[in-house]
Amino acid sequence: MTRRDNVGPVCSLKFVTLLVALIPELLFLGAGVQLQDNGYDGLLIAINPQVSEDQNLIPNIKEMITEASFYLFNATKRRVFFRNIKILIPTTWKANNYSKVKQELYEKANVIVTDWYGAHGDDPYTLQYRGCGKEGKYIHFTSNFLLNDDLTAGYGPRGRVFVHEWAHLRWGVFDEYNNEKPFYINGQNQIKVTRCSSDITGIFVCEKGPCPQENCIISKLFKEGCMFIYNSTQNATASIMFMQSLSSVVEFCNARTHNQEAPNLQNQMCSLRSAWDVITDSADFNHSFPMNGTGLPPPPVFSLIQAGDKVVCLVLDVSSKMEEADRLLRLQQAAEFYLMQIVEIHTFVGIVSFNSKGEIRAQLHQINSDDDRKLLVSHLPSTVSAEAQTSVCSGLKKGFEVVEKLNGKAHGSVMILVTSGGDEHIGNCLLTVLSSGSTIHSIALGSSVVENLEELSHHTGGVKFFVPDKSNSNSMIDAFSRIPSGTGDIFQQRIQLESTGENVKPHHQLKNTVTVDNRVGNDTTFLVTWQTSGPPEIALVDPNGRKYYTSDFITNPALRTARLCIPGTAEPGLWTYTLNNTHHSLQALKVTVTSRASSSAMPPATVEVFVERDSPRFPHPVMIYANVRKGIYPILNATVTATIEPETADPVVLKLFDDGAGADIIKNDGIYSRYFFSFAVNGSYSLKVHVSYSSSISGLAHSVPGNRAIYVPGYIANGNIQMNAPRKSVGRHEEEQKWGFSRVSSGGSFSVIGVPAGPHPDVFPPCKIIDLEAVKVEEEVTLSWTAPGEDYDQGQGEDSGRTSWRAFSIENHRHRNNGYVPL
């Protein structure tokens, strides 16, 4: 075991110990929602910049959360409520004495408000990508849902809807209704309506009015034009995860009221457990007790915040360690690309370098033109120092000094910290960093980076990256490309279409194609980088046959980069690039292609990559997720491939799936998932995901997945049928797709310890099967399920581990199936 293996957990323990000793308020910065003394602090609601300013939107959000807080408090038997809420106002709205942001980013919001509508219009929903009892990604509301009071007839009061979605987001419970299976056959062979609890009453309604059940069921199928309408007045008090709009419903289903037979996601995902059982098993309830007394908690306190001028400082390591493995060169190439192409116009940018001391290389300079960008590039470090010692704290201190010259504070600023590691004294400035209000994105180079660096990013809401010392790795540029803007404005952000690199033999070539689809094309840039000597011979051909050569590219011999910006909107279709290594030695050649949205009317396809893990210690796996969508619509049938690069071993390529098996809990929700456990060595791993989509395959989902509040079509009131307005459907105009698309995104990094030196023992169990179904036909029962694999969701061959199977000829519950065939 190396020294790194021994000191890692000790360093982390010291870090955590120090954090506990810090001022508690500082821990909320960038840390998400925290529960303290029964109250939730730090809930962040972000309004998308495409949402038009409306004077009623903010008051309605406040009213919704206030109502939700009291409803939640009673529903959880006086356990939790909402105390402090932040609402992130987009910069597209007029300034109105809003507070300035600190480490709040749109991408980190718990609740987002957009003008993007799903196929069913204004359905609020929660994006859940993990299993039962696990937190979701975010809650989504349309601005119309928050502004149009007529919708409360179908969804119920907004505060109740919010509690329904909050239970999805915070506690990982699922819906107890099922629009796809509105009824089921129970254990007594009776036809029952899918509901929870079973005590909720109603009647069958045919086209002409109330009718007996048998008039609506034909051969065990619902007759078209029939529905089950619930009574508006009920005695049942559960359940919020079924129909929160009923006035009598004030609690979650518990072990007494839960309907285990209903074919809903709650039963499927949570092994028939009730919602209340899952909620009370959560960390929130393990660390809180009911409040004394009979009174209600205080109403929530709201803070309205808005980002000001965007301020970024590059904090760059120039110690002698940066001379190893061309680290400085690769840093220069990536930083130039960031300054010339990635960082948004009007941003203030400064540059700091450090070894054992920090040095200001460029004070804040606002980017208003290409000349401003070039000026900043000229201040990038060009040489390394003779000193091996590094002091991250000295670099960050100078960075804060730079950004504070604008407004006197570092609040809302961004530090892009690049270091080769070796500094074990980061803890010396933790208090300063956490109280600064700055977000730290860290990019670690090589294998000697201490664990505290990753924690620094985590506790300030930043993203952490790892760049292996491999000449053909494009991880450095990927990291700079992935740094979030914080605004949520996908129409202004740069989208990565291609990122690849190869060690090319003398007089050989790197040749490939990249798809420029018609949702992107503005500011399209091709970047070529090389390792030694002069540039390769470049040939680029657009879809119409027009050719670009090396002479058409802007070449920077010192940084070994060549860049071509396509004027106007790039021609959609396949672009072919060829890089010829004309030199007599091996060359590491790399290509990066980025673009922006072609129109503000049509959101482009995007991919967001993230990882989850229960523990950094072997054999706990990493769950890799890629969220692929256009606007809020999931993209199905894409080819999604993850490339995982360890510090010293070869990269691992892993295909991700959206089939509802293994790590992927919900089929066809646009979130492609997989377990990764093929750990080769201890240390850091870099993650990148490639997405390709063929135009010959239907791939845009017709509904927005996610668990959502049910829209009630109507009620029975005083014996009369009172129907609500039909739920609004939003028609989508899909332009003809001729080319498909390609996307690339970095997923940051993760670290692993405790990996055995020799062959791995077989310690990986199969995944739980969650889609088992049984259908009885006369004397035979047919079972169907998706077999995830021998080791988690892998094994039995790459494809057979994802196959649906059917067991047949099951005589009774005591006998195993005597055969199975693929479906």
Side-chain angles (χ1 to χ4, degrees):
M1 183 176 288
T2 64
R3 182 176 182 273
R4 174 181 169 83
D5 296 329
N6 287 323
V7 303
V10 177
C11 290
S12 297
L13 181 60
K14 289 180 179 178
F15 187 94
V16 172
T17 303
L18 181 57
L19 284 181
V20 172
L22 294 178
I23 301 171
E25 288 79 4
L26 298 180
L27 299 182
F28 295 142
L29 296 176
V33 180
Q34 301 289 320
L35 179 63
Q36 203 175 40
D37 297 329
N38 298 96
Y40 288 113
D41 294 300
L43 177 65
L44 179 61
I45 302 173
I47 302 172
N48 190 277
Q50 296 296 314
V51 174
S52 301
E53 188 164 2
D54 190 297
Q55 62 180 358
N56 295 319
L57 187 57
I58 300 301
N60 283 10
I61 291 175
K62 290 181 176 180
E63 182 182 343
M64 175 179 69
I65 302 300
T66 302
E67 178 186 15
S69 184
F70 298 138
Y71 186 59
L72 180 68
F73 183 70
N74 289 323
T76 57
K77 308 184 191 320
R78 305 181 60 82
R79 297 291 283 269
V80 294
F81 62 94
F82 297 111
R83 180 186 289 115
N84 293 304
I85 313 296
K86 298 177 183 178
I87 303 177
L88 181 59
I89 309 296
T91 55
T92 51
W93 288 23
K94 291 180 295 186
N96 190 23
N97 294 322
Y98 300 122
S99 300
K100 297 299 181 184
V101 300
K102 291 186 178 179
Q103 292 161 341
E104 299 85 6
L105 301 173
Y106 181 92
E107 291 84 356
K108 299 287 184 181
N110 313 105
V111 182
I112 59 173
V113 179
T114 78
D115 277 341
W116 293 339
Y117 297 93
H120 297 302
D122 294 290
D123 278 355
Y125 74 90
T126 301
L127 190 63
Q128 288 178 272
Y129 60 97
R130 303 163 73 199
C132 181
K134 305 288 187 179
E135 286 192 63
K137 189 68 173 170
Y138 57 74
I139 298 171
H140 174 269
F141 293 110
T142 65
S143 56
N144 189 54
F145 172 83
L146 295 169
L147 293 169
N148 186 352
D149 292 338
D150 294 339
L151 294 176
T152 59
Y155 293 105
R158 295 189 188 100
R160 287 170 166 252
V161 173
F162 189 87
V163 171
H164 177 100
E165 300 305 328
W166 177 256
H168 286 313
L169 180 75
R170 184 69 177 184
W171 300 312
V173 295
F174 292 82
D175 285 328
E176 294 169 341
Y177 66 91
N178 190 338
N179 288 332
E180 303 300 320
K181 296 179 181 179
F183 73 96
Y184 64 97
I185 302 174
N186 69 4
Q188 288 73 47
N189 207 30
Q190 299 171 317
I191 296 175
K192 295 290 185 181
V193 176
T194 302
R195 53 190 159 175
C196 195
S197 74
S198 299
D199 295 336
I200 294 180
T201 60
I203 63 172
F204 282 93
V205 175
C206 302
E207 294 177 354
K208 297 181 180 180
C211 59
Q213 174 176 312
E214 54 268 21
N215 285 13
C216 271
I217 308 296
I218 302 176
S219 299
K220 300 180 181 178
L221 294 175
F222 238 163
K223 181 181 178 181
E224 186 176 356
C226 281
M227 63 180 66
F228 191 80
I229 302 296
Y230 294 92
N231 295 319
S232 61
T233 302
Q234 302 276 347
N235 294 321
T237 57
S239 167
I240 292 171
M241 301 316 296
F242 174 64
M243 193 177 290
Q244 75 289 327
S245 56
L246 289 171
S247 58
S248 67
V249 170
V250 292
E251 61 185 15
F252 297 95
C253 261
N254 55 34
R256 180 182 60 82
T257 57
H258 179 59
N259 179 8
Q260 291 188 338
E261 292 186 321
N264 55 39
L265 273 179
Q266 175 62 25
N267 281 327
Q268 178 181 331
M269 295 295 179
C270 296
S271 302
L272 308 183
R273 297 170 66 196
S274 72
W276 185 243
D277 184 30
V278 176
I279 292 170
T280 54
D281 203 31
S282 68
D284 285 353
F285 278 56
N286 288 334
H287 297 98
S288 66
F289 300 93
M291 292 178 63
N292 296 324
T294 58
L296 291 173
V301 175
F302 295 90
S303 302
L304 305 184
I305 56 176
Q306 186 178 43
D309 296 316
K310 186 172 181 180
V311 181
V312 176
C313 188
L314 306 185
V315 182
L316 310 176
D317 190 344
V318 293
S319 69
S320 60
K321 289 184 179 181
M322 292 297 293
E323 201 166 22
E324 301 172 12
D326 286 326
R327 291 175 185 170
L328 181 65
L329 173 63
R330 291 185 292 147
L331 168 59
Q332 290 171 319
Q333 292 171 341
E336 182 209 32
F337 184 62
Y338 177 79
L339 293 172
M340 293 301 301
Q341 305 298 144
I342 301 296
V343 67
E344 294 91 342
I345 196 166
H346 306 314
T347 301
F348 287 89
V349 180
I351 302 174
V352 164
S353 64
F354 69 95
N355 42 36
S356 64
K357 298 180 180 179
E359 178 187 356
I360 298 174
R361 305 188 68 89
Q363 296 287 358
L364 285 183
H365 190 85
Q366 190 175 31
I367 295 177
N368 294 305
S369 66
D370 272 359
D371 288 338
D372 297 319
R373 296 178 184 272
K374 292 174 184 176
L375 177 63
L376 285 163
V377 169
S378 70
H379 289 288
L380 290 172
S382 57
T383 59
V384 299
S385 71
E387 189 176 12
Q389 187 177 355
T390 57
S391 172
V392 169
C393 288
S394 296
L396 290 175
K397 182 179 179 181
K398 284 294 181 183
F400 295 145
E401 184 181 322
V402 168
V403 300
E404 287 169 357
K405 290 186 177 179
L406 186 63
N407 297 312
K409 293 182 179 180
H411 288 175
S413 66
V414 171
M415 299 285 154
I416 302 177
L417 171 63
V418 184
T419 179
S420 58
D423 179 8
E424 296 188 5
H425 302 287
I426 297 177
N428 294 343
C429 59
L430 284 177
L431 182 59
T432 301
V433 171
L434 290 175
S435 61
S436 70
S438 182
T439 300
I440 315 295
H441 302 297
S442 62
I443 303 176
L445 314 183
S447 58
S448 60
V449 177
V450 295
E451 286 77 1
N452 287 0
L453 185 68
E454 296 182 352
E455 295 296 323
L456 199 65
S457 293
H458 173 71
H459 286 283
T460 60
V463 185
K464 54 187 175 65
F465 303 92
F466 163 70
V467 177
D469 285 335
K470 298 176 183 177
S471 57
N472 63 339
S473 173
N474 215 21
S475 297
M476 184 86 77
I477 287 177
D478 295 335
F480 273 94
S481 300
R482 168 67 177 78
I483 291 171
S485 71
T487 66
D489 192 350
I490 190 59
F491 296 101
Q492 299 300 319
Q493 296 166 13
R494 213 162 247 288
I495 297 171
Q496 202 169 1
L497 310 185
E498 173 71 302
S499 172
T500 189
E502 284 186 17
N503 288 320
V504 180
K505 296 178 181 179
H507 308 295
H508 284 66
Q509 61 184 214
L510 169 61
K511 183 176 182 178
N512 213 331
T513 60
V514 59
T515 303
V516 177
D517 58 282
N518 57 350
R519 290 286 182 100
V520 296
N522 288 352
D523 298 328
T524 303
T525 301
F526 288 78
L527 175 71
V528 175
T529 63
W530 59 94
Q531 183 182 13
T532 58
S533 306
E537 187 179 83
I538 306 172
L540 176 66
V541 183
D542 77 5
N544 292 331
R546 178 178 176 179
K547 297 180 180 180
Y548 302 86
Y549 297 102
T550 310
S551 57
D552 297 308
F553 283 67
I554 299 173
T555 302
N556 187 327
L559 302 187
R560 299 169 195 168
T561 64
R563 179 168 43 91
L564 175 65
C565 298
I566 306 301
T569 303
E571 189 69 26
L574 287 177
W575 290 65
T576 303
Y577 58 84
T578 305
L579 309 183
N580 287 304
N581 179 10
T582 58
H583 301 282
H584 299 291
S585 59
L586 195 73
Q587 275 273 51
L589 303 180
K590 289 167 279 190
V591 178
T592 305
V593 184
T594 61
S595 189
R596 298 188 198 272
S598 58
S599 167
S600 60
M602 300 183 299
T606 58
V607 54
E608 180 189 11
V609 185
F610 39 95
V611 297
E612 299 282 350
R613 61 180 315 150
D614 297 323
S615 167
R617 180 172 291 278
F618 180 90
H620 294 279
V622 173
M623 287 76 78
I624 300 175
Y625 302 97
N627 187 9
V628 186
R629 61 192 59 240
K630 285 183 181 177
I632 62 172
Y633 284 100
I635 295 173
L636 313 183
N637 303 318
T639 299
V640 183
T641 306
T643 302
I644 303 102
E645 286 190 280
E647 291 180 1
T648 54
D650 293 333
V652 178
V653 177
L654 191 66
K655 190 172 181 180
L656 309 185
F657 296 98
D658 184 19
D659 58 3
D664 191 74
I665 66 164
I666 298 179
K667 184 177 182 179
N668 292 339
D669 64 350
I671 298 182
Y672 296 74
S673 317
R674 201 79 182 272
Y675 285 103
F676 173 70
F677 51 86
S678 300
F679 306 117
V681 293
N682 288 303
S684 297
Y685 289 70
S686 176
L687 170 65
K688 177 167 63 178
V689 166
H690 288 79
V691 178
S692 62
Y693 169 71
S694 171
S695 60
S696 63
I697 302 175
S698 175
L700 195 62
H702 292 281
S703 64
V704 178
N707 285 274
R708 56 174 61 83
I710 189 172
Y711 183 87
V712 181
Y715 293 102
I716 305 298
N718 299 320
N720 298 316
I721 302 174
Q722 297 181 353
M723 299 301 292
N724 293 320
R727 182 170 53 170
K728 180 178 69 174
S729 293
V730 177
R732 295 181 293 109
H733 172 68
E734 278 301 307
E735 72 282 359
E736 184 181 356
Q737 286 284 353
K738 298 180 180 179
W739 307 281
F741 66 82
S742 61
R743 298 289 187 269
V744 177
S745 181
S746 170
S749 65
F750 57 89
S751 298
V752 180
I753 57 175
V755 179
H760 295 181
D762 187 6
V763 294
F764 307 112
C767 287
K768 175 185 174 184
I769 294 173
I770 61 174
D771 61 351
L772 178 67
E773 288 193 57
V775 178
K776 182 180 179 183
V777 180
E778 297 180 352
E779 298 303 317
E780 185 175 276
V781 174
T782 299
L783 301 179
S784 63
W785 70 92
T786 303
E790 180 182 356
D791 297 333
Y792 290 111
D793 51 9
Q794 299 168 45
Q796 301 177 0
E798 185 70 14
D799 295 323
S800 63
R802 318 295 298 192
T803 302
S804 294
W805 298 86
R806 181 180 64 222
F808 59 91
S809 298
I810 299 180
E811 296 179 4
N812 57 55
H813 69 279
R814 294 185 179 181
H815 293 90
R816 295 181 180 273
N817 59 294
N818 58 21
Y820 57 87
V821 295
L823 290 175

